Amino acid sequence: MRKILILLALIAFTMNAQQNKTVYVCPPCDSSCDTKTFKKHGICDVCNMELTTKATLDKIKNAKKSIAFYLQEGVEVLDFAGPMEVFAYAGYEVFTVSKTKEPMLSQGILKILPDYSIEDAPQADILAFFGGNADNAYRDKKVINWVKAQNDVEYYFSVCTGAFILAEAGILDNQTATTFHGALSGLEKNYPKINVKKNVRFVDNGTVITTAGVSAGIDGALHMVAKLQGLKKAKEVAFYMEYDKWEPGEGLILTADNPYKNK
């Protein structure tokens, strides 16, 4: 019995020692607490964000997220090119997918050769969809079945009428979403399970982010970078792109992990 008590005491001592060595930090929010450390888990006394361990934060920072851009014939250039710039500069592994590997034209001007078809596309952490002839995709059962069959997707992202692809796949059911201003009524009418919002640049439901049209996709992409890598990283990307008109947090955020609490 005495040996058991001694063993339990040693285990407790070891666990306490390990906990004392654990360093907690605040997720980067571009304020003074970015360099502050804490001994206990809790809430940051500067920005009120939940603390995490330094090891976990380092792992998140160093993890290279993959993002699949699904593109269809007639896709709007800036819808996908703007977010592509953002994610590429932020260090994401970006690749393009279409129904086939056949060349396509964006707005009848830019020739695109997809990296993969839906038959051989690798698993991605993030799936992204864009406007411009989006009905070419959301009315195609083969494409929608592919979207539904994707496993272990961490986040979904859409720009403009790319939201209709997510809607048709059922991913926006019982969610709040937005789309291109000229398509808001169509999204609301055809998909009554979606709470459609007007006059917002983007909507963040936690794992699903939808944006308004064209240039709003850049804002949504920068928001995702801020959400996953911290506001400081997003500001660095915006500065590199000389996107000086960006207003961080200019969207509807329906989740607790708000990177702009102390912007």
Side-chain angles (χ1 to χ4, degrees):
M1 184 66 180
R2 184 180 178 185
K3 289 182 178 180
I4 294 174
L5 291 174
I6 293 173
L7 181 61
L8 291 173
L10 286 171
I11 292 172
F13 177 79
T14 302
M15 291 178 64
N16 287 332
Q18 289 176 342
Q19 288 177 352
N20 289 334
K21 288 181 180 179
T22 302
V23 177
Y24 292 90
V25 294
C26 174
C29 58
D30 201 26
S31 61
S32 60
C33 52
D34 282 356
T35 57
K36 193 172 181 180
T37 59
F38 304 81
K39 292 182 179 180
K40 297 180 180 179
H41 178 261
I43 302 298
C44 176
D45 57 6
V46 177
C47 68
N48 295 318
M49 292 184 74
E50 184 178 1
L51 303 177
T52 186
T53 65
K54 187 176 184 303
T56 299
L57 189 61
D58 288 342
K59 186 177 180 180
I60 292 171
K61 285 181 178 178
N62 296 326
K64 192 172 185 180
K65 296 282 186 187
S66 61
I67 177 166
F69 276 43
Y70 183 88
L71 306 178
Q72 65 276 348
E73 178 76 23
V75 65
E76 213 283 343
V77 175
L78 191 55
D79 268 18
F80 77 88
M84 185 175 281
E85 292 266 354
V86 172
F87 291 123
Y89 287 141
Y92 292 65
E93 179 188 345
V94 184
F95 59 88
T96 57
V97 182
S98 192
K99 185 177 180 180
T100 71
K101 292 181 182 178
E102 292 297 315
M104 68 182 77
L105 285 179
S106 174
Q107 295 178 283
I109 303 168
L110 178 67
K111 185 176 286 187
I112 302 169
L113 186 63
D115 296 316
Y116 301 97
S117 74
I118 57 175
E119 301 296 336
D120 63 3
Q123 177 68 40
D125 299 313
I126 304 167
L127 289 183
F129 303 92
F130 307 91
N133 198 29
D135 58 343
N136 180 280
Y138 74 78
R139 290 178 178 170
D140 191 318
K141 290 185 178 180
K142 192 171 183 179
V143 173
I144 296 304
N145 287 338
W146 173 78
V147 176
K148 290 179 177 180
Q150 297 309 293
N151 298 316
D152 301 321
V153 175
E154 295 180 26
Y155 298 96
Y156 294 93
F157 179 81
S158 73
V159 179
C160 195
T161 52
F164 282 74
I165 302 173
L166 294 180
E168 189 65 28
I171 294 166
L172 293 181
D173 285 356
N174 305 312
Q175 302 270 13
T176 301
T178 194
T179 186
F180 178 63
H181 63 83
L184 287 164
S185 59
L187 186 65
E188 191 171 40
K189 179 181 178 181
N190 294 312
Y191 302 96
K193 291 183 180 180
I194 302 172
N195 179 21
V196 179
K197 287 292 183 181
K198 303 176 181 179
N199 302 316
V200 291
R201 295 290 280 176
F202 66 83
V203 177
D204 180 0
N205 288 284
T207 59
V208 183
I209 295 174
T210 57
T211 83
V214 200
S215 65
I218 300 175
D219 297 56
L222 285 169
H223 169 68
M224 180 165 279
V225 171
K227 177 186 178 78
L228 299 181
Q229 297 170 273
L231 180 56
K232 184 177 180 180
K233 181 65 176 180
K235 285 184 175 181
E236 288 174 357
V237 173
F239 177 77
Y240 186 85
M241 293 173 61
E242 297 194 5
Y243 189 47
D244 56 353
K245 301 299 183 183
W246 179 48
E247 291 291 336
E250 191 180 24
L252 179 60
I253 303 170
L254 303 173
T255 178
D257 57 341
N258 186 339
Y260 317 107
K261 288 181 179 179
N262 195 45
K263 69 175 181 178

